[in-house]
Amino acid sequence: MFLKTYFTIVPIVLLFVSTFSIADTHENFVQCLYSYPHNTSSSISSAVYTQANSSYSSILDFSIQNLRFSNISSKPLVIVTPLEVSHIQATVFCSQRHGMQIRTRSGGHDYEGLSYVAEVPFVVIDLINLREINMDVENRTAWVQAGATIGELYYSISQKSKTLGFPAGVCPPVGTGGHFSGGGYGFLMRKYGLSADNIVDAHIIDVNGNLLDRETMGEDLFWAIRGGGGASFGVIVAWKLKLVPVPSTVTVFRVERILEQNATEIIEKWQLVANKLDEDLTIRINMGRATTQNGNLTVQAQFESLYLGRIDQLIPLMQKSFPELGLVREDCSEMSWIDSILYMAGFTDNQSTDVLLNRTQLNGLSFNKGKSDYVRDPIPNVGLEGLWPFFFEDEAQSAFVQFTPYGARMDEISESETPFPHRSGNIFHIQYGVSWRDAGEEEAQRHINWIRRLYSYMETYVSKSPRAAYLNYRDLDIGVNSNGYTSYNQASIWGRKYFKNNFNRLTRVKTKVDPLNFLRNEQSIPPLMLKGRK
Ligand SMILES: Cc1cc2nc3c(=O)[nH]c(=O)nc-3n(C[C@H](O)[C@H](O)[C@H](O)COP(=O)(O)OP(=O)(O)OC[C@H]3O[C@@H](n4cnc5c(N)ncnc54)[C@H](O)[C@@H]3O)c2cc1C
Ligand SMILES: *[C@@H]1O[C@H](CO)[C@@H](O)[C@H](O)[C@H]1NC(C)=O
Ligand SMILES: *[C@@H]1O[C@H](CO)[C@@H](O)[C@H](O)[C@H]1NC(C)=O
Ligand SMILES: *[C@@H]1O[C@H](CO)[C@@H](O)[C@H](O)[C@H]1NC(C)=O
Ligand SMILES: *[C@@H]1O[C@H](CO)[C@@H](O)[C@H](O)[C@H]1NC(C)=O
Ligand SMILES: *[C@@H]1O[C@H](CO)[C@@H](O)[C@H](O)[C@H]1NC(C)=O
Ligand SMILES: *[C@@H]1O[C@H](CO)[C@@H](O)[C@H](O)[C@H]1NC(C)=O
Ligand SMILES: *[C@@H]1O[C@H](CO)[C@@H](O)[C@H](O)[C@H]1NC(C)=O
Ligand SMILES: *[C@@H]1O[C@H](CO)[C@@H](O)[C@H](O)[C@H]1NC(C)=O
């Protein structure tokens, strides 16, 4: 439906974009937004928030998902919450004319706050109002605007079909703008790949303010935004998704084993089978601190699983492939796929599907820091045993390490098919997370140091040259751009960890679509051959 209205809006004034920036005030920027020829019904004045607007803070804070970035001084001069495409075009145009950078925000889950924090004068384009979802059940596709969350997408699918799903993340408030452009995975990854692997078209506003679809943007740019991150290339307005079949009944379980219940040995065995299991079966492991019955500290491994089938089929499969876990029928529950989404998101029994529309995190906000790794050879027991003591340290009270199995569909897709290169050869992916509740720089440093030490310990056991990382678990520790010109070599330090050899193609696409590097942040793709230009 919104498809039609998109293409009737013509970016008439965009020829006037100047290539150098003047240190203008944001008042001039706002004036520019107002005088841009919006050919529309919704007034841009109801979408523009300067720091003087009484709602500025609530709009800014609403999608901040990490308290580490909630109180900092580097806030946007203006927030624009576009109600239609021309509001994005105006912001892209006027920010270049008036010397401001842009940060685009969808769900605000970026681990380093890059969608709403910057050290330069900037404007946030917050897509919260662009969240329309149009399902085409007959053709098994959907158009999703980039401000929609994955929870809203799951909800919309469930309203139309019990046997269609989409492979994406676990936490419902995650935004489709960032999540899909960085990869996007959850419990359907082994069967269907990433969210990015199931995108068939997109609408993007480029740096010149043009609205492009797959055909007009070309295959290079369309390739880049499916795993290379959206922020380097434009503002993604909407995605067209290929929905995937799911059975009307699926099975879930969560089974906990502590060290005293041979957790280490069970994890050792899991590493040998997890990526080779039936494609319908995904078992991931969440590890964290626990206490034994007599009050001693221990480590607990929670085996969390979705099986695209029924208990009767799952039990013999587990007895054959992974008897060490000792799974029994009573551990398992059958439910619809949409209820498995609620289950994995942590909702308890019989919640209404409506909770997926709630954009607030279930367990409230915390200060947090994350990191990631890939594992290509099983971690020996001695490696695991060296990991456990980290959980007994003070800083690890709410820390976790999560192992997510690859294999199946992930092995079939080539490394260069999308910018996301972590395919065949990876047994599993690791996410490390630490969170804390008390404000202050000292608290932050203590916890960040803890996760850095853990990461350093793990070096021996994970992928090397490069030590690979997942873009959606953004980590500025692995390298950043300069605030100005960044050489290819400098950007390669972090770029090759996220993208391996695909980094080269990403820089070529960037050079073509944004040669002056207007769209930039601490880990944006730099254009090539701009030596000497700031
Ligand atoms: C609680 C939590 C749970 C998570 N669970 C999962 C999970 O299960 N699986 C998984 O794969 N990942 C998961 N993630 C990571 C998540 O996929 C990334 O943080 C993702 O980038 C978030 O997208 P967003 O739109 O919410 O974030 P934002 O912070 O809004 O955006 C992230 C990045 O994308 C850019 N961007 C956003 N929208 C657009 C757009 N429309 N056009 C261009 N650029 C854009 C931003 O500028 C920023 O650089 C989780 C993160 C959190 C905090
Ligand atoms: C834009 O304005 C022209 C002329 O007034 C009108 O014909 C056209 O329908 C408008 N388009 C939209 C999307 O409103
Ligand atoms: C913010 O304040 C300006 C100036 O008072 C006003 O023009 C604009 O409409 C306000 N924005 C919103 C969304 O209320
Ligand atoms: C399905 O796709 C075909 C071809 O693109 C199109 O003609 C048809 O209208 C679509 N079906 C629906 C229900 O939109
Ligand atoms: C742990 O393994 C040992 C040795 O294989 C075995 O004797 C013991 O029963 C196991 N403990 C549990 C709780 O499974
Ligand atoms: C619990 O800790 C005490 C003191 O460290 C130790 O003596 C005891 O063996 C531990 N119990 C178990 C079950 O590990
Ligand atoms: C959930 O609903 C089912 C069936 O409606 C019911 O049997 C069960 O007791 C409910 N569970 C809870 C915790 O309310
Ligand atoms: C949304 O979820 C939060 C956190 O669980 C809760 O506090 C809030 O009441 C919910 N809002 C609505 C409208 O249900
Ligand atoms: C933000 O700052 C205020 C005032 O300095 C303080 O009271 C509050 O606790 C801080 N909040 C966070 C999340 O740091």
Side-chain angles (χ1 to χ4, degrees):
M1 238 172 277
F2 57 84
L3 246 182
K4 277 196 193 126
T5 48
Y6 277 176
F7 289 103
T8 51
I9 299 164
V10 185
I12 325 155
V13 294
L14 295 170
L15 296 171
F16 298 97
V17 173
S18 69
T19 54
F20 50 88
S21 34
I22 322 143
D24 249 348
T25 56
H26 66 270
E27 281 88 357
N28 292 337
F29 166 76
V30 172
Q31 269 317 311
C32 173
L33 290 181
Y34 286 7
S35 50
Y36 185 91
H38 301 282
N39 182 7
T40 77
S41 46
S42 29
S43 160
I44 190 159
S45 67
S46 51
V48 177
Y49 299 85
T50 66
Q51 296 186 354
N53 283 88
S54 56
S55 323
Y56 170 91
S57 289
S58 59
I59 299 278
L60 179 64
D61 291 350
F62 183 75
S63 294
I64 291 182
Q65 309 287 353
N66 186 343
L67 292 180
R68 212 151 51 92
F69 307 107
S70 72
N71 245 358
I72 57 177
S73 52
S74 29
K75 292 181 195 280
L77 293 173
V78 183
I79 305 169
V80 181
T81 56
L83 300 163
E84 46 193 275
V85 167
S86 75
H87 297 171
I88 303 177
Q89 294 171 314
T91 310
V92 169
F93 169 74
C94 297
S95 55
Q96 289 171 82
R97 174 171 261 206
H98 294 286
M100 314 236 287
Q101 287 189 14
I102 62 172
R103 291 286 181 278
T104 302
R105 184 163 76 172
S106 171
H109 286 71
D110 193 285
Y111 277 16
E112 301 279 13
L114 296 195
S115 55
Y116 55 90
V117 176
E119 299 298 333
V120 291
F122 74 112
V123 47
V124 164
I125 300 179
D126 187 327
L127 297 174
I128 186 132
N129 293 320
L130 293 180
R131 52 212 263 203
E132 209 172 301
I133 298 174
N134 283 306
M135 302 280 301
D136 178 352
V137 173
E138 187 188 317
N139 289 323
R140 295 184 171 184
T141 59
W143 272 104
V144 180
Q145 284 188 312
T149 63
I150 55 175
E152 290 165 345
L153 169 64
Y154 294 148
Y155 176 88
S156 297
I157 295 174
S158 75
Q159 297 305 294
K160 291 284 164 88
S161 168
K162 303 292 170 223
T163 53
L164 287 176
F166 189 71
V170 172
C171 183
V174 166
T176 57
H179 187 64
F180 294 178
S181 61
Y185 77 89
F187 281 89
L188 293 180
M189 174 176 64
R190 298 193 68 245
K191 177 125 180 175
Y192 294 114
L194 306 171
S195 308
D197 298 328
N198 293 277
I199 289 170
V200 293
D201 201 344
H203 294 159
I204 186 171
I205 307 285
D206 72 6
V207 71
N208 300 316
N210 298 311
L211 175 66
L212 308 171
D213 66 2
R214 178 173 184 169
E215 201 185 326
T216 51
M217 80 176 85
E219 287 304 304
D220 269 345
L221 180 53
F222 184 61
W223 173 84
I225 58 174
R226 286 172 299 147
S232 302
F233 301 101
V235 179
I236 293 149
V237 181
W239 305 103
K240 186 181 184 183
L241 315 178
K242 187 178 73 193
L243 303 176
V244 302
V246 292
S248 54
T249 303
V250 304
T251 302
V252 297
F253 67 80
R254 280 195 191 105
V255 168
E256 283 91 22
R257 297 285 183 266
I258 58 174
L259 296 182
E260 292 74 9
Q261 295 167 316
N262 297 338
T264 310
E265 292 70 26
I266 302 172
I267 295 169
E268 182 184 28
K269 178 62 195 292
W270 176 91
Q271 296 186 80
L272 303 178
V273 299
N275 65 324
K276 303 188 188 83
L277 292 172
D278 190 296
E279 62 176 10
D280 289 328
L281 178 57
T282 298
I283 306 174
R284 77 174 187 187
I285 314 180
N286 306 309
M287 282 150 274
R289 177 199 285 202
T291 337
T292 62
Q293 273 166 352
N294 55 20
N296 289 4
L297 283 186
T298 186
V299 173
Q300 172 180 283
Q302 177 191 68
F303 295 82
E304 187 174 40
S305 176
L306 172 71
Y307 176 59
L308 296 169
R310 310 199 61 143
I311 299 179
D312 282 344
Q313 304 152 286
L314 174 61
I315 296 294
L317 203 61
M318 288 293 287
Q319 275 160 359
K320 182 170 130 258
S321 318
F322 192 23
E324 293 78 2
L325 186 60
L327 186 78
V328 294
R329 294 188 74 87
E330 292 66 38
D331 296 322
C332 305
S333 310
E334 290 184 344
M335 56 184 65
S336 63
W337 177 75
I338 196 67
D339 282 337
S340 81
I341 292 284
L342 297 186
Y343 176 90
M344 292 306 175
F347 293 103
T348 42
D349 280 355
N350 296 354
Q351 283 267 356
S352 152
T353 316
D354 295 357
V355 295
L356 294 173
L357 303 176
N358 189 333
R359 295 177 77 114
T360 306
Q361 283 188 37
L362 180 61
N363 298 319
L365 293 185
S366 64
F367 300 86
N368 57 69
K369 168 80 185 155
K371 287 178 160 302
S372 65
D373 259 322
Y374 283 91
V375 176
R376 303 178 70 89
D377 300 300
I379 302 172
N381 270 9
V382 58
L384 295 172
E385 274 154 12
L387 167 60
W388 305 149
F390 282 91
F391 286 112
F392 304 143
E393 296 182 28
D394 258 7
E395 292 78 13
Q397 281 177 41
S398 23
F400 68 89
V401 173
Q402 185 178 64
F403 290 177
T404 300
Y406 273 40
R409 181 76 187 124
M410 291 301 275
D411 280 351
E412 294 165 10
I413 300 173
S414 85
E415 281 194 12
S416 59
E417 180 75 25
T418 71
F420 179 100
H422 318 294
R423 305 285 185 172
S424 160
N426 290 293
I427 306 175
F428 61 98
H429 170 238
I430 305 182
Q431 181 183 193
Y432 311 94
V434 62
S435 66
W436 60 101
R437 298 268 170 192
D438 295 322
E441 188 51 29
E442 201 184 315
E443 278 296 283
Q445 273 316 318
R446 248 173 15 95
H447 290 89
I448 292 172
N449 286 341
W450 177 85
I451 202 170
R452 286 179 181 157
R453 278 190 291 110
L454 171 61
Y455 187 73
S456 158
Y457 165 77
M458 290 298 290
E459 183 178 5
T460 319
Y461 304 109
V462 298
S463 65
K464 295 173 183 60
S465 309
R467 182 173 183 180
Y470 175 37
L471 177 65
N472 268 345
Y473 294 153
R474 192 187 302 285
D475 179 6
L476 295 184
D477 293 351
I478 68 171
V480 289
N481 296 335
S482 310
N483 196 353
Y485 171 70
T486 299
S487 70
Y488 171 85
N489 284 342
Q490 183 184 339
S492 299
I493 295 170
W494 57 265
R496 294 177 64 80
K497 292 172 185 170
Y498 289 142
F499 309 115
K500 297 194 182 172
N501 290 334
N502 295 328
F503 182 66
N504 296 349
R505 184 171 174 194
L506 286 169
T507 59
R508 289 199 303 272
V509 178
K510 174 72 174 182
T511 309
K512 208 157 72 179
V513 305
D514 182 22
L516 300 179
N517 203 19
F518 170 64
L519 299 163
R520 62 182 188 271
N521 62 42
E522 290 79 350
Q523 283 184 345
S524 58
I525 307 291
L528 294 168
M529 294 189 293
L530 287 171
K531 284 207 172 69
R533 192 179 281 153
K534 293 280 165 190

